[in-house]
């Protein structure tokens, strides 16, 4: 299965984030899962890709051509697609994967997460969506979504469309069992 991972490109994070992201990538590769990601060399994107690479796993990078500058893109991708726009990039990330894991990130990661969650809430896709809650990073996001439902800006059912999880083994087990009635 190809798993899309959204996450930070920042090179300035605490080391524990990189270590956890790399371990997720290793576990994906060990289980035979491919990585579909934004193609970045740095940050958590790059850490997951390095982990998958260490296990000789499939890696599909997808990034617009304007990102093709020295040091920005991960050079060891199995395959690389360079669409014209960020919108095309997101569509390809969705189309070329069967599951989504969101690792900590900034506004780009939030935007990607909310788009994929919205598509699922509208019944346009059906896939597992997991927020990898490293170091409690997504605790406030979970509280915010619960508050949004409490205030009736969305239904509580939307909260069931994604999972907040802290253990990469449990994340991958959930993704593998998704839709099997487990």
């Amino acid at each position: 299965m190809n798993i899309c991972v959204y996450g930070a490109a920042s090179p300035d994070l605490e080391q524990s984030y990189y270590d956890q992201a790399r371990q997720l990538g290793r576990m994906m590769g060990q289980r035979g899962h491919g990585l579909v990601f934004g193609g970045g060399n740095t940050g958590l994107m790059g850490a997951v890709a390095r982990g998958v690479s260490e296990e000789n796993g499939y890696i599909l990078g997808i990034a617009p051509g304007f990102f093709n500058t020295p040091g920005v893109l991960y050079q060891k991708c199995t395959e690389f697609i360079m669409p014209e726009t960020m919108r095309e990039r997101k569509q390809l990330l969705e189309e070329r994967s069967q599951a989504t894991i969101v690792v900590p990130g900034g506004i780009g990661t939030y935007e990607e997460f909310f788009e994929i969650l919205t598509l699922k809430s509208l019944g346009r896709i059906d896939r597992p969506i997991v927020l990898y809650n490293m170091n409690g990073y997504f605790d406030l996001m979970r509280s915010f979504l619960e508050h949004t439902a409490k205030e009736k800006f969305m239904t509580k059912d939307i909260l069931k469309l994604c999972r907040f999880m802290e253990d990469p083994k449990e994340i991958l087990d959930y993704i593998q069992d998704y839709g099997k009635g487990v």
Side-chain angles (χ1 to χ4, degrees), residues 99-102 113 116-121 125 127-131 161-165 174-175 178:
T100 300
I101 298 173
V102 183
F113 162 65
I116 207 83
L117 180 63
T118 299
L119 289 171
K120 188 171 181 179
S121 76
I125 60 169
R127 65 170 55 217
I129 301 171
V130 179
L131 291 97
L161 300 179
C162 64
R163 297 278 179 98
F164 292 81
M165 303 175 92
Y174 167 71
I175 286 172
Y178 185 82

Side-chain angles (χ1 to χ4, degrees), residues 4 17 21 24-25 28 45-46 51 58 68 70 73 83 89-90 92 95-96 128 130 139 156 166:
C4 178
Y17 286 109
L24 172 65
M28 287 171 57
M45 280 195 290
Y58 172 79
N68 195 10
L73 299 178
R89 173 198 204 189
K90 287 189 299 178
L92 286 166
E95 290 173 356
R96 299 291 299 265
V130 179
D139 288 348
K156 289 184 181 181
E166 298 173 1

Side-chain angles (χ1 to χ4, degrees), residues 99 134 159:
M134 298 175 187
L159 295 170

Side-chain angles (χ1 to χ4, degrees), residues 43-98:
L44 302 188
M45 280 195 290
V48 172
R50 281 186 282 288
V52 174
S53 285
E54 289 168 8
E55 298 298 330
N56 299 309
Y58 172 79
I59 301 173
L60 171 59
I62 303 174
F66 62 83
F67 280 153
N68 195 10
T69 59
V72 172
L73 299 178
Y74 187 68
Q75 298 300 308
K76 294 183 181 179
C77 291
T78 310
E79 183 181 356
F80 214 103
I81 300 173
M82 289 195 175
E84 290 293 316
T85 68
M86 292 293 278
R87 286 188 178 119
E88 291 171 314
R89 173 198 204 189
K90 287 189 299 178
Q91 183 173 350
L92 286 166
L93 289 166
E94 173 199 333
E95 290 173 356
R96 299 291 299 265
S97 62
Q98 295 78 43

